[in-house]
Amino acid sequence: MKLESFLLEILVCPQCRAALTEGGTEEQPELVCTGEGCGLVYPVRDGIPVLLVDEARRPA
């Protein structure tokens, strides 16, 4: 699932305020923080980004 480009322009990581990029797979889309020290990965469920730090995971 591809998010609208205007959403990616305004959404930021709630932890560090860095920009987010799309990642994951078509079946499990994710938003990835671009912050150097952060790097949290946020799930996208039913087309809705879940930008809760408690729901994010650290990349492997």
Side-chain angles (χ1 to χ4, degrees):
M1 162 159 248
K2 189 97 168 129
L3 290 176
E4 298 289 335
S5 61
F6 75 91
L7 280 178
L8 288 175
E9 291 175 15
I10 61 173
L11 293 177
V12 296
C13 174
Q15 178 74 32
C16 70
R17 305 287 186 230
L20 298 169
T21 59
E22 288 187 278
T25 63
E26 187 70 30
E27 296 81 30
Q28 278 189 312
E30 299 174 320
L31 291 177
V32 181
C33 175
T34 59
E36 286 184 31
C38 185
L40 290 175
V41 180
Y42 297 93
V44 177
R45 296 186 186 127
D46 297 322
I48 301 168
V50 181
L51 297 178
L52 300 171
V53 175
D54 291 341
E55 293 285 323
R57 66 174 179 81
R58 295 256 177 224

